[in-house]
Amino acid sequence: MPARARHRGRPVLSAIALCALLCLPLARPVSAADIPVSSRTITQFTPGSDRRIFGKLEFLGGIAYSSSSPLLGAVSAIRFRDDHEHFVSVLDTGHWLTGRIERDGEGRLSGLADVNIRSMIDRDGRDGNPKEKMDAEGLAISRGELLVSFEGLHRIDAYPDPGFTDAGPKRRLPLPIERREIRRNRGMETLAMSPAEGPLGAVPVTVTERSLDAGGNVFAAVLAGPRAGLFAVKRSEPWDITDGAFLPNGDLLLLERRFRFSDGMGMRIRRIAGDTIRPGAVVDGEVLIDADLRQQIDNMEGLDVVAMAKDDIRIIVVSDDNHSILQRNLMLEFRLLPEK
C-alpha cells in the first residue's frame, strides 16, 4: 500500500501515491445492481473552521459516501433532473449510475437513495466492455437523449432517454475536433447543454481536459447552432479541466483539477461568459473558488448546476475515487453568491 502523508491534521495521499492512483488503469467490474450506500455528512469545508464563504461561493454542506459493493466509484460526470433530486451519472468504468439525493430538515445534503448501477451497452448491443472501450467522461441531457463523451476511443454517443440503461446508443455525433488533436487520456472531459435562453441556444458544448492547440490553449467546440465550431479555453498551468455546466444565463462553469508534487491536489471553478464563446475565440474567465487539501476535496471530476430559484443557484461537485481505499466519493454543494 502506498505511503500516506499528513496535511493539517487529516490524512492525505503522498504525491507519488496519488499520481499512481490517478494514472494506473483499474479493473472494471461488470454488473447491474441496486447498490446499498452509506453516507457521512460534511458540515465544514475546512475542517475545524465554520467559514462558509470561499471566493464567490457559499459552502452549504456535503456527504462522503461509500458502499460494500465494488461497483460504486469512479464517477466522471453528474446531471440532475428537473426535480433537482434525481440524477444520472457516468462512471469511467463504463457504467451508468442513477439515484436521488436526500436532504435533512434544514435542506442540506444528507445521503443518497435508490442508487442503481448498470453496465453501459455499446452500439453492437454488448455490455461488460473493457474500460478502454467505454471510458465515459462527459454527460449532457438533451431532448429525448443522453449524450456521452468517451476517452480512449474518442466519440460522443447519444443514448435514448428514457431507456438508456437498457439500450445501446441510437446515433453517434460527428467528432467536433480532429481525432489527431485529441490526446488519449486528455480528451472530451466536459459535455454540457447550453440553456435555450443563453447566447448559444440549447446546444451541446464539449471541452477537452488537456488537448492543446498550437497556442497551448485547450480545444473546445460548440456542436450545433449558429455558433457551431471550434473555440479554445485559455489554460493556466497546472490546471486541467474535468467537467463543466452552464448557468441559467448561459455562462459556462468549468471544474478544474490541479496536481502538484509540492502540495498535492487542488480544485477550482472558473466562470466563462457565454457571449464570449464563438468560433475561433480563446475564452477565459473569473475563478469563483480555489481550494486545496486544507479543504474537504479529493479528485473532483464532476459538476452540475441546479437552479433551485432565480436567486438560489446551486453548484454540486462530485469526486472520482478511482476505486481506491485511499480516496473518497464526495458530493459537495455550494451556492453561487449574487453579483454585486
Side-chain angles (χ1 to χ4, degrees):
M1 180 182 296
R4 302 178 80 183
R6 305 295 300 183
H7 190 94
R8 296 203 176 188
R10 58 188 296 259
V12 299
L13 298 174
S14 70
I16 295 175
L18 186 54
C19 182
L21 286 167
L22 290 178
C23 297
L24 289 177
L26 296 163
R28 177 183 176 276
V30 178
S31 184
D34 294 318
I35 302 297
V37 176
S38 59
S39 301
R40 178 180 61 82
T41 59
I42 297 171
T43 59
Q44 296 175 320
F45 191 44
T46 301
S49 170
D50 291 328
R51 177 184 171 193
R52 310 295 296 178
I53 305 302
F54 297 84
K56 297 298 180 67
L57 304 183
E58 177 189 2
F59 179 67
L60 300 180
I63 55 173
Y65 61 95
S66 60
S67 174
S68 58
S69 170
L71 289 170
L72 186 67
V75 177
S76 291
I78 187 169
R79 297 294 175 217
F80 281 84
R81 299 294 193 176
D82 290 340
D83 65 1
H84 305 154
E85 180 179 331
H86 288 83
F87 63 85
V88 181
S89 292
V90 291
L91 314 183
D92 67 20
T93 52
H95 286 79
W96 299 104
L97 183 154
T98 59
R100 63 180 175 86
I101 57 171
E102 295 180 318
R103 295 184 181 274
D104 64 18
E106 298 182 10
R108 295 173 298 198
L109 291 175
S110 61
L112 302 181
D114 303 332
V115 175
N116 183 272
I117 296 180
R118 174 71 163 87
S119 292
M120 302 179 80
I121 299 172
D122 68 15
R123 67 191 307 186
D124 297 317
R126 296 187 297 249
D127 64 1
N129 291 284
K131 174 182 168 66
E132 55 266 24
K133 287 189 63 177
M134 300 294 284
D135 186 352
E137 294 293 342
L139 175 65
I141 298 178
S142 186
R143 180 174 296 181
E145 58 188 17
L146 297 181
L147 307 179
V148 183
S149 61
F150 294 86
E151 273 190 339
L153 298 177
H154 303 298
R155 65 194 188 276
I156 299 175
D157 284 345
Y159 287 79
D161 183 31
F164 58 92
T165 59
D166 299 311
K170 61 182 185 179
R171 65 188 181 100
R172 178 161 294 173
L173 279 65
L175 199 63
I177 304 165
E178 287 189 40
R179 191 174 300 275
R180 63 183 176 85
E181 299 287 6
I182 307 176
R183 306 300 177 260
R184 178 170 177 78
N185 292 315
R186 297 288 185 267
M188 293 177 289
E189 197 86 0
T190 296
L191 190 59
M193 285 295 298
S194 171
E197 299 78 11
L200 301 179
V203 298
V205 174
T206 186
V207 183
T208 64
E209 179 180 2
R210 199 205 305 170
S211 294
L212 307 181
D213 64 15
N217 300 306
V218 179
F219 275 108
V222 178
L223 275 60
R227 297 193 187 184
L230 292 180
F231 68 100
V233 178
K234 182 176 176 59
R235 181 172 185 265
S236 300
E237 178 69 28
W239 296 97
D240 291 330
I241 296 166
T242 60
D243 203 4
F246 282 89
L247 293 171
N249 73 345
D251 287 354
L252 174 62
L253 300 187
L254 292 176
L255 176 66
E256 298 178 287
R257 175 182 59 214
R258 182 196 72 226
F259 171 69
R260 292 191 296 207
F261 287 95
S262 59
D263 57 0
M265 190 71 70
M267 175 201 86
R268 77 175 190 176
I269 298 173
R270 197 173 8 156
R271 180 174 184 168
I272 308 296
D275 194 48
T276 65
I277 299 174
R278 57 186 70 245
V282 178
V283 301
D284 195 2
E286 177 187 22
V287 173
L288 301 182
I289 187 172
D290 187 335
D292 57 29
L293 288 174
R294 291 172 295 183
Q295 282 79 48
Q296 294 273 14
I297 67 166
D298 207 284
N299 175 36
M300 308 312 292
E301 279 270 355
L303 174 149
D304 200 18
V305 170
V306 180
M308 306 294 283
K310 180 179 179 181
D311 297 321
D312 187 5
I313 307 300
R314 310 286 180 90
I315 299 168
I316 294 180
V317 292
V318 293
S319 68
D320 172 0
D321 74 337
N322 289 298
H323 287 300
S324 167
I325 62 172
L326 299 181
Q327 293 178 264
R328 298 182 294 169
N329 289 305
L330 301 178
M331 179 180 289
L332 308 174
E333 185 175 34
F334 300 86
R335 178 184 287 117
L336 179 65
L337 296 176
E339 294 185 283
K340 296 180 180 180

